[in-house]
Structure formats: C-alpha cells, structure tokens
Amino acid sequence: MLTSDLGLAGGFNAQIGRAVRSLAGQISQNGEKLMLLPLGRKGGDIAQRAFPSEIVEKLPGTGGKEVPFNVASQLGDRVISMLEKGEIDKVSLVYNRFVNAMTQTPVTLPLVPLAVDEEAPAEKKDAPSAADQPLYSFEPDEESLLEQILPRNLKVQLYAALLESAAGEQGARMAAMDNATRNAGKAIDRLSQHYNRTRQANITRELIEIISGAEAV
C-alpha cells in the first residue's frame, strides 16, 4: 500500500485505508493469509491500527518529493526475495491513481501473478493461418529472458505507481489547502459580520443611554 508521509491531504490516505480493508476482506474469505508492506508513514499508521499482526515491515515513503527509481527497485527486490523464499505467492499493490489535480482513484493492481486477458482477440478474416505464422528464435532462451524481464516489469510497475501516487498526493494537498483557505475566509467573514453587529449594537445602546440621561437632566 502506497500512502504519503504527511497529512493535510484530505481523503488521500483514508481512501487507501478503505481499499486495503476491502482487499483484506476478500483475502480472508478466500482463506488466504494477509501480509502488508506499507510504504509511507500514514500507511504504516493505518496498517498498525487495522492489521498490526499482518505487517511485515513499515517502509519509509518519498515524502511527496522527487521519486527516485531506486525506491521502486529496492521494494521490488524485497518482494522478489519473499516470492523466491516461498513466503508469498500473490502480490497486489494498492495506490492512488492520478486522474487530475482534483481526483485520485484508489486502485488495487495485481502484480503477481501477471494479469492476462483471458479473452483472445477475434481472428481477422485475412489473418494468416498458423502454418503461415513466422517462427521466432530467442537469444538467449525464453526462460532466461523471462528471468530478467519479469523482475524489471515488476519494478517498473511499482515505479509508475509511485509516480502516480506522488502526483496525486500533491493534487490532493493542493485541493485540501484550497478548501481550508476558502473555509477560513468564510469563517473570517462570519466573525467580522458578528463583530460589526455587536459593535453597532453597543454604540446604539450607549447613544440611547446618553440621550436618556440628557433628557432626564
């Protein structure tokens, strides 16, 4: 799960927490074990409150600043190590996908096993038959290529999610601060109006007392 290190971002982190709880419910229904690697201080806090015994390790976030690729690379290496040791057999990433400066959508992305489109594309009428399809040779062999490509694919997907999350965090914080400024302005206007009315009432009361005193004399 990817979250920010800081608050003041509206519901940016809260919606990730809801998505993780929803995923945890599905995992529990399937009779599987949940293991969490929260990235970001807020994610660690959410996981600590909801799933303290399922936390593998709390990882530091990027702080909403520059997102270097080595963060994704190190996280990818940790996940790959857990896969090779047989500690896990499925990996899903929960993060906020950047839509625009005002909207970030929580997404649960399956990383392992790779999601494959089960619906084969419809064959074209003029498509060549299987016998006419060209044959490809791989250098080195296919297994060696996959051993190199799959870990890189995992790290690239993690890096893309980190970038989207960082962009979404900045947008959410900007929107939250804009709303806070607008609400503060409205509160100041209400207080100023109340102050002016109270001041005017006091002035009117003092004038009435002065006039009443002068008439009594």
Side-chain angles (χ1 to χ4, degrees):
M1 57 186 295
L2 301 183
T3 60
S4 66
D5 283 336
L6 304 174
L8 303 177
F12 182 82
N13 297 307
Q15 61 187 11
I16 289 295
R18 289 192 293 269
V20 170
R21 283 189 287 270
S22 175
L23 177 62
Q26 297 175 15
I27 292 175
S28 177
Q29 289 179 358
N30 294 334
E32 299 172 335
K33 181 181 178 182
L34 175 67
M35 300 178 70
L36 291 175
L37 275 173
L39 182 68
R41 186 171 63 85
K42 289 297 180 179
D45 294 342
I46 293 171
Q48 185 63 44
R49 289 193 298 269
F51 312 100
S53 60
E54 283 80 13
I55 298 175
V56 177
E57 182 184 358
K58 295 180 183 179
L59 303 174
T62 58
K65 301 176 183 178
E66 181 182 357
V67 183
F69 183 77
N70 68 322
V71 175
S73 180
Q74 292 172 3
L75 179 58
D77 288 337
R78 178 64 186 276
V79 172
I80 292 169
S81 175
M82 295 176 69
L83 286 167
E84 291 176 345
K85 292 178 181 178
E87 298 175 356
I88 55 176
D89 56 8
K90 293 182 181 179
V91 179
S92 293
L93 177 66
V94 182
Y95 71 101
N96 277 307
R97 175 174 292 167
F98 180 81
V99 179
N100 53 52
M102 301 295 293
T103 306
Q104 301 82 37
T105 304
V107 173
T108 300
L109 176 65
L111 296 178
V112 179
L114 288 174
V116 178
D117 188 2
E118 297 181 356
E119 296 183 1
E123 296 183 0
K124 297 181 180 179
K125 293 181 179 179
D126 299 332
S129 62
D132 297 330
Q133 293 286 347
L135 298 177
Y136 297 95
S137 60
F138 296 92
E139 184 69 29
D141 59 277
E142 298 177 35
E143 185 175 349
S144 299
L145 284 174
L146 288 174
E147 287 179 356
Q148 298 181 34
I149 293 175
L150 292 180
R152 293 182 183 181
N153 173 69
L154 176 64
K155 294 177 181 180
V156 168
Q157 290 196 71
L158 288 171
Y159 186 55
L162 282 168
L163 292 176
E164 295 231 13
S165 181
E169 178 186 347
Q170 298 301 327
R173 183 165 289 115
M174 181 183 68
M177 293 300 97
D178 182 64
N179 289 334
T181 301
R182 189 181 300 110
N183 292 335
K186 292 179 180 178
I188 291 173
D189 291 341
R190 289 195 299 269
L191 291 173
S192 297
Q193 188 179 47
H194 178 70
Y195 168 79
N196 290 332
R197 287 179 177 176
T198 303
R199 178 172 175 272
Q200 185 62 43
N202 290 335
I203 293 173
T204 302
R205 187 180 68 253
E206 291 175 358
L207 288 175
I208 291 175
E209 291 175 352
I210 292 172
I211 294 172
S212 299
E215 289 178 353
V217 173

